[in-house]
Amino acid sequence: MMVWYNMVMANKKDEKSTEETSELTIAEAAEVDGTATEPTKPVAEPIPEITWEAEEYIVHEKNSWWYVGLVAVALVLVGLAVLLQAWTFLAVVVLSVIALVVYTLRPPRVLHYSLGKEGLREDQRLYPYADFKSFGLLHEGQHFAIVLTPRKRFAPRITVFFPETQGEKIVDAFGARLPMEEVKLDLLDKLIKFLRI
């Protein structure tokens, strides 16, 4: 990951020095020819669209002890709800356990992503670059992901997994449009990772 980060930063420095050199050369040539009118700006080359497919989330292996632990915690919470006669809490516990089991047994969908000039497209949904203030990289085991931090205060972060083979192109494309920042897991992310959900 740091290699991609270093490469992005090095590329930005190289591009900046190349732009300065090319502008200086054009201005000098115009003065020599006597055709100095207005300085011309270098034309940025369009970045080609990048496409890939990835699963929507990482599947963590769960052994039988994980399910035994889930049932044990659920039984303790159900017993507490019955003892306190908190029927709403009881309903929430039962529905939460059912939803968690269904979620863990459902295989992740394979999503089609494309990265173009207007933004990131996830199947039919478009995430414009203007909606995000920065991006970062996550590396968990053999899985790599881009994490997009939204500009809106309470909007959730967007996590997009990608194959390692296309990592350099994807990071470069995001780096050309958004600043890169270190991604820190929040409390919810740490809890999900701990519970292997």
Side-chain angles (χ1 to χ4, degrees):
M1 282 301 126
M2 289 309 295
V3 173
W4 285 332
Y5 177 75
N6 292 336
M7 290 176 65
V8 168
M9 299 318 259
N11 285 344
K12 284 185 178 180
K13 288 178 184 175
D14 290 344
E15 288 173 6
K16 190 171 183 179
S17 64
T18 304
E19 288 174 5
E20 290 172 358
T21 305
S22 63
E23 286 178 4
L24 187 63
T25 308
I26 292 170
E28 288 173 350
E31 284 180 16
V32 171
D33 290 344
T35 59
T37 53
E38 291 184 19
T40 57
K41 293 181 181 177
V43 179
E45 293 183 22
I47 298 173
E49 185 175 22
I50 303 166
T51 60
W52 73 95
E53 289 184 346
E55 294 181 343
E56 61 183 326
Y57 58 86
I58 298 173
V59 178
H60 296 283
E61 294 298 321
K62 297 170 189 64
N63 57 20
S64 57
W65 286 109
W66 188 89
Y67 292 100
V68 169
L70 177 65
V71 170
V73 169
L75 289 176
V76 169
L77 293 175
V78 165
L80 184 65
V82 170
L83 183 67
L84 298 174
Q85 296 183 355
W87 308 120
T88 305
F89 180 65
L90 175 65
V92 168
V93 168
V94 170
L95 290 175
S96 298
V97 169
I98 291 171
L100 188 57
V101 168
V102 168
Y103 178 78
T104 58
L105 294 177
R106 179 182 71 91
R109 295 177 299 156
V110 175
L111 300 173
H112 178 76
Y113 295 98
S114 64
L115 192 58
K117 61 181 180 180
E118 67 278 352
L120 172 70
R121 188 171 296 279
E122 178 185 83
D123 286 337
Q124 300 303 316
R125 184 169 185 180
L126 176 67
Y127 296 103
Y129 296 115
D131 290 353
F132 302 100
K133 62 180 179 181
S134 64
F135 80 100
L137 296 173
L138 267 184
H139 178 216
E140 186 178 334
Q142 297 178 352
H143 302 280
F144 297 89
I146 292 282
V147 179
L148 299 168
T149 305
R151 291 187 184 279
K152 294 180 182 176
R153 184 171 183 158
F154 296 108
R157 295 189 304 184
I158 306 296
T159 303
V160 178
F161 292 94
F162 60 87
E164 185 179 3
T165 55
Q166 289 185 285
E168 188 175 338
K169 290 191 296 186
I170 293 168
V171 171
D172 287 346
F174 275 110
R177 294 172 174 94
L178 293 171
M180 185 174 186
E181 293 181 354
E182 183 181 352
V183 176
K184 295 180 181 175
L185 298 178
D186 58 16
L187 186 61
L188 181 61
D189 291 332
K190 290 177 182 176
L191 181 63
I192 289 172
K193 189 173 181 179
F194 175 74
L195 295 176
R196 302 183 63 80
I197 298 174

